[in-house]
Structure formats: C-alpha cells, structure tokens
C-alpha cells in the first residue's frame, strides 16, 4: 500500500509534470471507484490542475476549485503517460484502470488497481474535508511534536503496531513503515502503549521522524514508475522474511494475519524470543 512517502512523491511529481495543464477529458471506467462526485465529472473539462498534495495517505489533486481525492488502497497506483495510444474513450470495466485524466498537452495519468479485490476510492469534492476518511484523520505523522506524539500514542490502549497504523491517531503510517519504525526503535510490535516509558516514546518518535523523513527524501524526485522499487530497496525488515537483519544479522521473522503480515527482528526487538502468534504470545512487552 502506498504510504506517506510514496503519496508525497506522487504529489510532487504531479506538481512538476501536470499542474498548470488543463483537463481535456476525465474518464471513469470503473464506476465503483468514484465514491462521490460534486460536481459531475464532465464539469472538469477545461479546468486547470491547480495543485497536488496529500492528507495522510490520501492524494489530493486540485482541479480548478475542486478536488480529486484518492486513496490508492493496497493495490492501487498512479501511472503517468506522456501520451495515450488511442484517443478513444475508455469503455466501462477497462481492466485495471479505475480513472483516466487526459490533459491538454496529450499527457495524463491513469489510476489503476491490480487484483480482484477493488478498494481504490476516488472522491470528486469541493472540499477535502467532505471525504469521510480525510475528516477522521489524526495529525500528520511528520507534523506532530514529540509531546503531541506521546499524547496521541497514549490516547489508544493496545499493541503499538496497531496504534501506529491507526489513521485517527496519526495520519500517513501504514504496515510497511510501521515495521521499519519499530525495528529502528527496537520495540516489539506487540508492546503495549500503556507500558511504554517516556524514554521508549522518545526513541519511537525519533525513529518515526528518521524513517519517514529518509523515505520522503529518497522518494521525492523519482518518477512514479520508480517509486515502488525505491520503497522496497530502503526496507530493513518489512517484506524481508528469511533474510538477515542488516543491524545484527539475525533472521528476519514474520507474523501472519488473515490478510496481512508484519516482519521484525527478534534479536533487535524482542530480546531474541520469536513472536509465535499475536493472540497466544506471552512475551514480555
């Protein structure tokens, strides 16, 4: 799933490449992807792309006085095209393409979603706060002070992994970077927020700032097509099950859930003890 660094980089790429151009045609071959629209999509024709930014993991594309707000979900992505093969409008259900934006210079972009589980969501609104997911967001992960961070983390009781990825607590952190942050902070993903010391909270805050800032710096300036590879290359434990930890050399381990998994280093994070199961683990937190 694209997280804060990748969405920030996509917004920066659109600011460089697309902002200032006008909409030639806005197409929605996947009707299910466009959750709400006010105005009608046809009203965008001739309007300029005025801005590109983000709210947590939501991409926000300003079009005139309106906003196309997109959550790319797990398998969504933005593909920028210097030109399109055919000027013909897309037919409904055109494969993985959910939304296509054609611009006045012949370029544009597709919002696509791989797989059969369709979760990509686009909202055409007059104000981003009209999008329910945006309205519920906590403060941005890179905008909070250490004091605010501590307050937000302790506001939710539970395992730190789950609290870090709760978008109502902090906006922008997802499954991948939370693994990286916890590894850098040397904390178990199952550590309970209510038992974290002030020192541990401080180390966790510093790790979050370091991991997210470094990822943004590596991502911004990359072409959209290169961002996924850049993200994978920067990971120390996430999606590296069975490989050596780059810090201590121990084998990176995994805990699997119904629809996702987490990765961690037992030596760095749990005193050398493997996490067998999130419900049955009796490790010291």
């Amino acid at each position: 799933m694209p997280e804060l660094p990748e969405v920030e980089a996509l917004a920066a790429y659109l600011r460089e490449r697309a902002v200032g151009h006008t909409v030639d045609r806005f197409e929605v071959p996947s009707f299910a992807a466009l959750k709400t629209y006010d105005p009608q999509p046809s009203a965008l024709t001739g309007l300029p792309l005025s801005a590109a930014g983000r709210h947590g993991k939501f991409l926000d594309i300003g079009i005139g006085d309106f906003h196309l707000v997109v959550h790319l979900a797990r398998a969504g992505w933005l593909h920028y095209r210097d030109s399109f093969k055919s000027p013909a409008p897309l037919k409904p259900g055109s494969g993985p393409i959910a939304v296509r934006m054609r611009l006045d210079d012949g370029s544009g972009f597709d919002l696509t979603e791989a797989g059969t589980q369709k979760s990509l969501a686009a909202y055409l609104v007059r104000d981003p706060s009209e999008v329910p997911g945006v309205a519920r967001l906590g403060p941005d992960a890179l905008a909070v002070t250490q004091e605010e961070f501590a307050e937000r983390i302790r506001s939710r009781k539970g395992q730190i992994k789950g609290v870090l990825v709760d978008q109502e607590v902090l906006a922008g952190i997802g499954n991948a970077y939370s693994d990286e942050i916890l590894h850098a902070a040397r904390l178990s993903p199952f550590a309970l927020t209510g038992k974290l010391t002030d020192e541990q909270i401080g180390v966790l805050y510093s790790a979050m700032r370091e991991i997210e800032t470094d990822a943004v710096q590596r991502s911004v300036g990359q072409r959209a097509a290169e961002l996924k590879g850049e993200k994978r290359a920067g990971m120390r434990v996430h999606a590296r099950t069975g490989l050596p930890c780059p810090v201590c050399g121990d084998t990176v381990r995994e805990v699997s859930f119904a629809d996702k998994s987490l990765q961690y280093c037992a030596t760095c994070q749990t005193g050398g003890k493997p996490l067998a199961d999130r419900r049955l683990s009796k490790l010291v937190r």
Side-chain angles (χ1 to χ4, degrees), residues 114-141:
T116 58
Q117 184 177 355
K118 302 301 183 182
S119 301
L120 183 148
Y123 307 82
L124 183 55
V125 294
R126 297 175 184 272
D127 189 301
S129 64
E130 297 171 19
V131 177
V134 172
R136 293 193 296 267
L137 289 177
D140 194 82

Side-chain angles (χ1 to χ4, degrees), residues 236-254:
R236 299 178 181 179
V237 292
H238 182 76
R240 289 176 53 85
T241 303
L243 297 175
C245 169
V247 174
C248 71
D250 192 6
T251 301
V252 174
R253 302 171 188 268
E254 177 177 303

Side-chain angles (χ1 to χ4, degrees), residues 150-164 166 169 190-196:
E151 181 180 350
R152 302 296 297 183
I153 292 297
R154 287 181 169 139
S155 70
R156 294 291 173 92
K157 303 298 183 183
Q159 296 170 346
I160 186 59
K161 168 77 176 183
V163 174
L164 273 181
D166 186 335
V169 176
F190 295 166
L192 299 176
T193 57
K195 294 186 177 181
L196 294 179

Side-chain angles (χ1 to χ4, degrees), residues 7 33 37 47 64 75 88-89 93 99 102 119 131 135 143 156 170 190 196 200 245 260 265 274:
V7 179
Y37 51 90
L47 295 180
V99 172
R102 299 177 187 259
S119 301
V131 177
R156 294 291 173 92
L170 294 169
F190 295 166
L196 294 179
Q200 288 175 315
C245 169
K260 59 185 176 181
C265 170

Side-chain angles (χ1 to χ4, degrees), residues 29-30 75 77 81 93-99 110-115 118 120:
S30 174
W77 198 245
R81 319 290 189 191
S94 297
I97 301 175
V99 172
D110 291 332
L111 297 173
T112 67
E113 187 171 22
K118 302 301 183 182
L120 183 148

Side-chain angles (χ1 to χ4, degrees), residues 76-239:
W77 198 245
L78 183 148
H79 298 271
Y80 205 91
R81 319 290 189 191
D82 290 326
S83 62
F84 294 94
K85 293 181 179 180
S86 171
L90 292 169
K91 296 180 180 179
S94 297
I97 301 175
V99 172
R100 171 167 287 179
M101 180 81 74
R102 299 177 187 259
L103 301 177
D104 57 358
D105 66 345
S107 73
F109 57 87
D110 291 332
L111 297 173
T112 67
E113 187 171 22
T116 58
Q117 184 177 355
K118 302 301 183 182
S119 301
L120 183 148
Y123 307 82
L124 183 55
V125 294
R126 297 175 184 272
D127 189 301
S129 64
E130 297 171 19
V131 177
V134 172
R136 293 193 296 267
L137 289 177
D140 194 82
L142 284 179
V144 292
T145 64
Q146 183 169 330
E147 291 74 19
E148 291 170 325
F149 176 80
E151 181 180 350
R152 302 296 297 183
I153 292 297
R154 287 181 169 139
S155 70
R156 294 291 173 92
K157 303 298 183 183
Q159 296 170 346
I160 186 59
K161 168 77 176 183
V163 174
L164 273 181
V165 300
D166 186 335
Q167 299 303 292
E168 295 184 20
V169 176
L170 294 169
I173 302 173
N175 189 44
Y177 288 106
S178 61
D179 283 350
E180 297 297 296
I181 291 166
L182 290 168
H183 177 255
R186 304 181 72 87
L187 280 175
S188 166
F190 295 166
L192 299 176
T193 57
K195 294 186 177 181
L196 294 179
T197 66
D198 290 344
E199 181 180 1
Q200 288 175 315
I201 289 282
V203 170
L204 184 62
Y205 176 77
S206 297
M208 179 196 72
R209 295 282 307 178
E210 177 185 351
I211 294 296
E212 295 287 354
T213 300
D214 177 70
V216 168
Q217 291 173 346
R218 287 188 290 104
S219 299
V220 171
Q222 301 280 346
R223 292 173 57 86
E226 300 167 346
L227 283 171
K228 290 184 180 180
E230 183 64 37
K231 179 180 181 178
R232 287 192 295 269
M235 294 295 167
R236 299 178 181 179
V237 292
H238 182 76

